[in-house]
Amino acid sequence: MRVLTTGKAAMLNGLKGAALAAALALSPLALGLAVPAAQAAEGSVAIPDARFQHDRMLGTFDRGALQRGFQVYKEVCSACHAAHLLSYRNLRDIGLSEAEVAAIAASYQIPDGPNDNGEMFERPGRASDRFRRPFANDAAARAANNGALPPDLSVIAKARPGGGNYIHALLVGYEDPPPAGITVMEGMHYNKYFPGHQIAMAPPLNSDGQVQYGDGTRATVDQMARDVTTFLAWAAEPELETRRAMGIRIILFLIVLGGLTYAVKRKIWADVH
Amino acid sequence: MASGLHESSFTNPVVRWIDQRMPVFTMMQKEYGTFPTPRNFNYFWNFGALAMINLMIMIATGIFLAMNYTAHTSLAFDSVERIMRDVNYGWLIRYVHMNGASMFFIVVLIHVWRGMYYGSYKKPRELLWILGVVIFLLMMATAFMGYVLPWGQMSFWGATVITNLFSAIPLVGNSIVTLLWGGFSVDNPTLNRFFSLHYLLPFVITGVVFLHVAALHITGSNNPLGIEPKGPQDTLPFHPYYTIKDSVGIVVYLIVFAFLVFFTPNYLGHPDNYIPANPLSTPAHIVPEWYFLPFYAILRAVPNKLGGVLMMFGAIAVLFVLPWLDRSPVRSMRFRPIAKWLFLLWTVNFFVLMWAGGKPAEGLYVVISRLSTAYYFAYFLVILPLLGKIERPLPLPESISRAVLRGGGPLPGGAAAKPMEKA
Amino acid sequence: MAETLAPSSAPELGQTQGGGDHGPDQGTKRDFLKLVAGSFAAVGVGAIVWPFIHSMNPAKDVLALASTDVPLGHIAEGQAVTVMWRGKPVFVRHRTGAEITEAKAVPLGELRDPQPDSARVQREPWLVVLGVCTHLGCVPLGQKPTDARGDFGGWFCPCHGSHYDTSGRIRRGPAPANLTVPEYNFTSDTQIRIG
């Protein structure tokens, strides 16, 4: 928000009568900030800033983290969590080759049909297929998970106050045994950052080396949490890098155009003042 | 006027041929070319043009979004995400549309604020003002229905809560709500009709904007001094002076807009709206979009269902009669020593309401909401009528040109007009 | 329009456009500025138009689905199947020996759109063509055994009476060209992938 404030102020600087307008325009933005922040703080525990590079104003995704994160998602999360908005072809964006994508897709059996006999069947996945769901439907998912529905992870990073920082905090925020004086219900787990602190999901990342990284990175719990969070942030906003690159160019263009327009304005009004 | 042709002053043969038969060029020249406009506008007078641009951006992006959107409860959420992921530049068009709604309200709220500060609603511009309030109402309806379309949690529960407002109406309330829903809950028929109306209303708004501009061009614009131009020395032709000044404003506006779209596109939205609608579970804190928060705070400030709804609609309704509540003969707050401060307090109070509307309805927040609601109405219903009687306005400048030329110093009579003849 | 406000402004407008009494130097400088600012604005508007137009082109998921696998094993000689590819029907016909001979025997000179049969098939028994008449886009008859197949044993378009032969070539009627052969390849002896 700070950048917006100073950036705007600089643009309007020297324009008579505009300062108040800027203040008025900014106020709702400042208030808007207060709303999600207040809700994030609802559980009364502040979410630590995990300092992801893609959270910076002009940051991009760490390609290595994306690929490792996909591995964590594939080997751990996808046992229960769907990501039905993603297709295997999207994995090209995290730096996998066409052949790698085809191999990953083919390793899944995708429901298809009906065939000529009217029967549904399964076939090896293709790049154009959506990620295979672990359960046929929500009821099946609940039945297999003690009544709790594992949410779809496609846009989870956009769907939680605090975004990636929250997901990362949640993944490393389990405490067993729970702090003194807190009883956790049967089948629930204590998590410092989950609203209400009792979460049905058992600690998904529970021991170092749970995933064998191919690139030699040490798979600590925190590292795996960071990687999978990066992957989920990308899954939620695959356009992020294009968007920021385009934004810089457009804003620079507009600043030049603004300078030119203001110069023409000064010239035209020179007669009047 | 031979043979019924319009007497055109244009020389280009094609332009002239059209203009003689349908004088659109003459009209444009008159309304946007030579149109005499007070020479002392400040940058607050940009916001009408900005609103017009914003409306066009919303319609353009909306039309292209509709080409890819599916208005069905089981497909809507995914179709929006498909726009974000698969449609070429879909993310750009959607983020412009989504943040464009916020930009539209920022621009229009400042435009309304300017009208209130400089007394633009006063005679002879009452109808112009009323048409403006109609536009504002239509905008709110359009924005509300647009927010339902992605069919996220906030969409669904926002639609449920807002349509349920009508159930407060005695006797027929529940029937009206069933009618709005087309069923017994917010469901597919509701989504379908909201999409239809969301597409329709912007064109209704465009129509009312035309009326708004037509009314403006009868009375002419107000200005920061709130005194009418007394002659040519007080005005400038709209083009090029205000076309270029509006252009400067448009570029600055686009920079702010671009910043929102490209760097913080979801900042003004709510994360819960990326959770698909679930009729079985209400989010812990449902809040409307930021531009509805002041009115939402007023709704919740009243402990009675019907009362809250009436107060909320009353908060807009009172604007319709504002021209008759404010009895002061002076327009601009610059010359109203008491009203100026009480109006600025009203402005701060509006933001307090906005803030309170985003907080849970409990404890101190309710008390603050009630006090703020009281002041919101008191300003219109008590303070303005009273000030009209007891306030002593500062002396008004003799004319716009006089005030503009170094603060209206004691120029000898007639000298004020002189520099203008040269310019 | 309020008459009291009306007059006067015109001369001012005229002056501004003409550069007024500021002398030629001022005038050219302003005109140059205007030109640069105007061009910048025009470039900006032009650049805005492209995303809108491009959004109407096929989306990424549409392009990704642009290939279809067709198993051939169950298509007996003389039979044909119709499959969907990019929202259009594709005719896959298992031709008989007689049909192949007939297709190959036609002198190219008799054809409106001359193409030898060998240029239209990858393996002789299998003819794969888009089931879209090259006249105005109707789907020709001839896939079902009961369909009319026209005078040349291939397909017959009921809309405007185009006759295609057993190689999908136009022989009579208004259509200007042969039925289009889509891009496809044999992924195995019993399966093709179209697109």
Side-chain angles (χ1 to χ4, degrees), chain A residues 5-215:
Chain A
T5 316
T6 49
K8 267 188 70 180
M11 277 314 296
L12 295 177
N13 198 12
L15 304 186
K16 191 175 67 184
L20 191 48
L24 275 168
L26 279 172
S27 311
L29 303 190
L31 280 156
L33 175 66
V35 177
Q39 271 150 12
E42 193 62 28
S44 79
V45 182
I47 296 165
D49 183 355
R51 302 197 157 273
F52 288 107
Q53 70 172 51
H54 59 261
D55 278 349
R56 291 202 299 261
M57 181 77 45
L58 296 174
T60 52
F61 292 115
D62 174 347
R63 280 291 174 286
L66 279 181
Q67 295 183 17
R68 292 192 300 271
F70 170 64
Q71 194 185 346
V72 176
Y73 167 76
K74 193 173 98 169
E75 294 177 16
V76 183
C77 316
S78 72
C80 302
H81 292 275
H84 82 283
L85 293 169
L86 295 175
S87 301
Y88 296 111
R89 65 187 159 85
N90 298 140
L91 295 173
R92 291 296 306 278
D93 294 357
I94 67 170
L96 300 185
S97 71
E98 198 168 343
E100 286 171 314
V101 170
I104 290 168
S107 70
Y108 290 92
Q109 288 294 311
I110 304 294
D112 201 349
N115 62 14
D116 294 346
N117 299 323
E119 289 153 354
M120 301 305 281
F121 59 93
E122 293 202 330
R123 57 161 174 80
R126 301 182 197 133
S128 60
D129 285 319
R130 298 286 184 100
F131 276 22
R132 193 199 146 94
R133 297 171 191 243
F135 302 103
N137 50 55
D138 285 358
R142 280 184 195 279
N145 287 284
N146 247 337
L149 176 69
D152 188 287
L153 297 183
S154 320
V155 289
I156 200 81
K158 284 194 289 194
R160 292 290 180 276
N165 287 331
Y166 167 76
I167 296 169
H168 171 258
L170 184 88
L171 289 173
V172 297
Y174 284 89
E175 279 174 32
D176 190 28
I182 292 177
T183 10
V184 176
M185 285 188 297
E186 181 65 28
M188 302 294 264
H189 308 270
Y190 181 86
N191 191 303
K192 197 174 159 190
Y193 299 104
F194 190 70
H197 302 306
Q198 300 204 28
I199 185 168
M201 174 169 72
L205 304 173
N206 44 39
S207 60
D208 292 356
Q210 191 177 351
V211 169
Q212 291 291 322
Y213 282 145
D215 64 357

Side-chain angles (χ1 to χ4, degrees), chain B residues 133 312-322:
Chain B
V133 180
M312 189 180 75
F313 284 110
I316 306 287
V318 73
L319 295 177
F320 281 109
V321 289
L322 176 58

Side-chain angles (χ1 to χ4, degrees), chain B residues 5-189:
Chain B
L5 286 179
H6 173 74
E7 218 168 309
S8 177
S9 55
F10 288 88
T11 46
N12 178 307
V14 178
V15 171
R16 187 180 171 80
W17 188 89
I18 296 172
D19 202 53
Q20 285 174 331
R21 283 153 184 83
M22 188 176 63
V24 281
F25 293 99
T26 302
M27 196 196 84
M28 285 303 289
Q29 173 72 14
K30 190 175 150 205
E31 305 295 345
Y32 288 101
T34 55
F35 187 68
T37 312
R39 54 184 297 137
N40 60 332
F41 280 179
N42 57 30
Y43 274 95
F44 276 118
W45 264 260
N46 273 352
F47 286 86
L50 292 181
M52 187 99 87
I53 296 279
N54 206 319
L55 177 62
M56 296 194 307
I57 291 174
M58 293 307 276
I59 289 180
T61 49
I63 286 172
F64 282 84
L65 285 176
M67 292 181 191
N68 287 295
Y69 171 74
T70 310
H72 189 282
T73 50
S74 59
L75 300 169
F77 187 91
D78 286 4
S79 78
V80 172
E81 276 301 319
R82 182 181 166 269
I83 291 172
M84 297 295 295
R85 288 154 192 274
D86 288 332
V87 174
N88 303 313
Y89 293 108
W91 61 268
L92 176 62
I93 299 175
R94 177 181 176 238
Y95 275 157
V96 168
H97 197 72
M98 188 173 131
N99 288 286
S102 286
M103 288 303 291
F104 205 177
F105 275 95
I106 291 173
V107 163
V108 165
L109 284 173
I110 294 173
H111 188 60
V112 173
W113 185 91
R114 187 268 286 160
M116 290 173 76
Y117 186 84
Y118 295 108
S120 302
Y121 49 83
K122 291 191 185 182
K123 195 183 172 190
R125 299 184 181 85
E126 305 96 321
L127 188 58
L128 174 62
W129 169 261
I130 288 171
L131 288 166
V133 180
V134 170
I135 293 170
F136 188 55
L137 267 177
L138 287 170
M139 271 177 67
M140 295 211 284
T142 311
F144 159 66
M145 286 189 276
Y147 195 56
V148 175
L149 302 185
W151 209 241
Q153 275 288 65
M154 282 297 166
S155 302
F156 182 86
W157 292 102
T160 301
V161 168
I162 300 299
T163 47
N164 262 317
L165 290 178
F166 294 91
S167 70
I169 303 168
L171 300 176
V172 292
N174 282 322
S175 314
I176 290 179
V177 174
T178 311
L179 177 86
L180 290 174
W181 288 343
F184 301 100
S185 65
V186 174
D187 208 337
N188 201 49

Side-chain angles (χ1 to χ4, degrees), chain B residues 244-257:
Chain B
I244 190 65
K245 195 163 178 173
D246 281 345
S247 302
V248 173
I250 287 167
V251 177
V252 174
Y253 150 89
L254 286 177
I255 290 172
V256 178
F257 199 163

